[in-house]
Amino acid sequence: MAPVFTSSPTEYRHEMSEEEECLPVTPTTKNSPYLFDRSILSDAVVGRVPNGLRVRPLHLDDYDKGFLAILSQLTSVGEMDRSKWESRFRSMQRTTPSTYFVCVVEDLDSNRVVGAATLVLEWKFIHSAGSRGRVEDVVVDESMRGKKLGVLLNDVLVRLAKQMGVYKVSLECKDKLIPFYEQFGYKKDAGNNFLVQRFD
């Protein structure tokens, strides 16, 4: 059974103001080609990026830049025409408060997506109406593995989770990846187990 990891330093705790609780879809995101506001990925969040690459939010045009092909190296994607892609993109974009933060690594020479990872926020009544983060769908293109892009993406998501004020962030992984994720501050959540029912 794959373990569940949590990383929940006390500094992650955050109390939402009334304005944050009712955060509207802003002009910077509504109908934008980016999934979320690019300014959220500040230099402090992104950190140092290798030459020739950039980290940015998922873009509507990434349908043509290999994003789905990258995901297919991780799991089944299924049929996804452009209409379905845009419908899903817009529905994820318009969640209020913002919930989906899909970050990609783009190769600036080829204009192709070569890595991706997602931070999903769950908005709660507990922890003073706080939020929990989940890291999902971390994948690097086969041609780019061994260049520490997985490290880059995980560093970005942990810093982003802190910035968003989550009280904890968790992920699921295979046993062999435990040492990899431990370097980002994750640890086994003793006494808790991950259970699943699949319907696909």
Side-chain angles (χ1 to χ4, degrees):
M1 178 183 299
V4 176
F5 292 83
T6 62
S7 181
S8 51
T10 55
E11 63 266 24
Y12 283 22
R13 297 185 183 279
H14 172 66
E15 196 165 285
M16 296 173 68
S17 66
E18 289 183 5
E19 291 80 8
E20 287 173 310
E21 290 172 355
C22 301
L23 187 67
V25 177
T26 66
T28 58
T29 56
K30 185 178 181 182
N31 297 321
S32 165
Y34 290 96
L35 187 64
F36 60 92
D37 186 352
R38 285 179 292 171
S39 68
I40 292 173
L41 292 181
S42 63
D43 290 344
V45 170
V46 173
R48 189 173 182 179
V49 180
N51 291 336
L53 302 174
R54 69 170 170 174
V55 177
R56 58 167 174 78
L58 184 69
H59 191 283
L60 195 60
D61 288 346
D62 288 337
Y63 180 86
D64 298 310
K65 292 185 176 183
F67 175 70
L68 296 178
I70 292 289
L71 284 185
S72 70
Q73 295 179 31
L74 179 68
T75 189
S76 172
V77 173
E79 297 297 324
M80 180 76 71
D81 62 20
R82 188 177 295 275
S83 176
K84 184 181 289 187
W85 159 265
E86 183 161 357
S87 177
R88 174 59 69 213
F89 185 98
R90 293 303 185 191
S91 68
M92 293 171 73
Q93 182 187 59
R94 290 170 177 161
T95 56
T96 306
S98 296
T99 299
Y100 299 100
F101 298 86
V102 183
C103 301
V104 303
V105 179
E106 181 182 10
D107 183 318
L108 297 177
D109 290 330
S110 65
N111 293 319
R112 303 288 292 177
V113 173
V114 295
T118 299
L119 174 68
V120 179
L121 299 189
E122 294 181 359
W123 298 96
K124 303 284 193 176
F125 289 106
I126 61 175
H127 291 276
S128 301
S131 60
R132 168 186 178 166
R134 292 184 183 273
V135 170
E136 299 185 344
D137 301 337
V138 180
V139 61
V140 173
D141 185 66
E142 293 172 343
S143 67
M144 298 293 285
R145 290 175 190 170
K147 300 180 183 292
K148 296 191 178 299
L149 299 190
V151 172
L152 170 64
L153 285 165
N154 278 283
D155 278 338
V156 168
L157 292 196
V158 170
R159 288 191 289 261
L160 179 58
K162 290 182 182 179
Q163 177 175 284
M164 300 305 292
V166 304
Y167 63 85
K168 74 175 179 180
V169 61
S170 63
L171 58 83
E172 301 152 17
C173 77
K174 298 183 184 301
D175 289 346
K176 66 182 181 180
L177 293 176
I178 291 174
F180 174 75
Y181 284 107
E182 284 178 334
Q183 68 183 302
F184 306 105
Y186 294 97
K187 58 185 179 181
K188 288 184 178 180
D189 195 8
N192 291 311
N193 295 290
F194 168 64
L195 305 177
V196 65
Q197 291 190 57
R198 297 193 67 97
F199 302 105
D200 56 0

